[in-house]
Amino acid sequence: MTTPELAARLGALTSWHADWKGLRVAVFGLAMTGFSVADTLAELGARVIVVTEAADEHYARLLPVIGVELVEQPGIEVAPERLTAFDADLVVVSPGFPPSHPLLTWAESERIEVWGDIELAWRVRDKVLRADGTPAEWISITGTNGKTTTTQLTATFLAAGGVRAAPCGNIGVPILDAVRDPGGFDVLVVELSSHQLHWVRRGGPGALHPFSSVCLNIAEDHLEWHGSFDAYLGAKAKVYENTKTACVYNKADEMTIRMVEDADVEEGARAIGFGLGVPGPSDFGVIEGILVDRAFLDDRHHTALELSTVAELRERGLGAAHIVANILAAAALARSFGVETGVIHDVLETFRLDHHRIEVVTRHRGVEWVDDSKATNPHAADASLRAFEPVVWIVGGLLKGVHVDDLVRAHAGRLRAAVLIGQNRDAVRDAFRRHAPEVPLAEVTTTERGLPVMTEAVRLADGAAEPGDTVLLAPAAASFDQFAGYDERGDLFTSAVRGLVAGDSGEGDAD
């Protein structure tokens, strides 16, 4: 139970140098994030217990080394006895735990304060200071899709401009590892998932005050975790709270506009729009094929600064509409920190997208094979499908509580055929029957996981594709039903495609 005395102590924990010693903290979850939390708290002198349903073996071996106790209990339905006996002052939860998890309902019933890893990182961000004696600034990035690309681009723009910047957070490097890096940074470019933002406070000692922020777009996703679209939307909107310099928003997404309008920001913060059309003053956009900045210049009402051209981006595989939008958003964030436009142009000459993001695997017998395994929801798949025509679409997996009806309806006219994979095939098949009954369907029905799934999907797609088509892996669903993750799904797609090409009896050459 959080007593007034304990509440006062927790409220005062806003520095690495505060009194953390002896604080009893229960950490929920033990993967990359959970271990970074436990390791940080142990270094601070807190007493730590980690509770999880399934522990990563590597991290489980390290816990005794740092003096942290582990309680592993599959299928937790009630708080383990060891946890209740620990009498925690605080819970720090990993992003994978939904608010409805029994451990969190227990913490609520016991009136124990709950933080996420992002709040803990913000509170101890002064461990390593910049040359001017202040902590690194944060640039916060979220959205249903495009977070990783935008985070990578923003950090790359900043670094090329001479700023010590690190991409971290949901991108794969725990933010607490970046905060504790002894080399220090000027800026942390923080990718934030809706799961992480759920636990972020809007006010008080643990509230974030980012230098600049963006929500790239919003569509239904993770509804099984949040419980409703409104809850998901509310979590995403927190990214703009207390922003100091620039709230970057998507001019084509009304919900991100409303988020900025409703956000409580610091005085002087500007709203900066980005979009694929002609930009207004204070916007980033495209004029006659030229990407421009009309926000960060003195005469923004009459002139614009060139960043790159759509033609140049297309030559480097960056010309898809949603990628151009991500580039504009990242450029706005970097420009808000003073990066020159010439630096942005130079970076775009060599930048390449992450693996499994509209990545061309090969062209064979006139058919292009494209891996967009990172399209784990309908919004991402929609953007990918718009970049190609005609398409043989490999689709399906775990739908996470969302529907594909609108997606099927919107793209029926560009589909040569569809190959259905995954646990939720029935829902996908029904969507096609309702909205695109003319599109030929094939299904992978194997009960095996991994490569057999993709080998069969590629075989079926090859049988349906004609010269000039694109076979597109853009599943619109999560991967964990049949694969270890979207990266394995994409890797096995690539392997299966290469196997198809290697086994081809000379009917055509790959290029």
Side-chain angles (χ1 to χ4, degrees), residues 321-343:
H322 61 297
I323 301 301
V324 174
N326 293 340
I327 290 169
L328 290 167
L333 293 169
R335 291 282 291 145
S336 77
F337 205 79
V339 175
E340 298 293 334
T341 55
V343 171

Side-chain angles (χ1 to χ4, degrees), residues 360-370 458 462 465-471 496-511:
V360 176
V361 175
T362 191
R363 295 175 180 85
H364 181 59
R365 289 191 281 114
V367 175
E368 186 172 62
W369 295 78
V370 176
V458 165
D462 181 57
E466 299 180 8
D469 290 355
T470 297
V471 176
V497 171
R498 289 175 177 164
L500 172 76
V501 172
D504 199 313
S505 58
E507 295 178 19
D509 296 326
D511 55 65

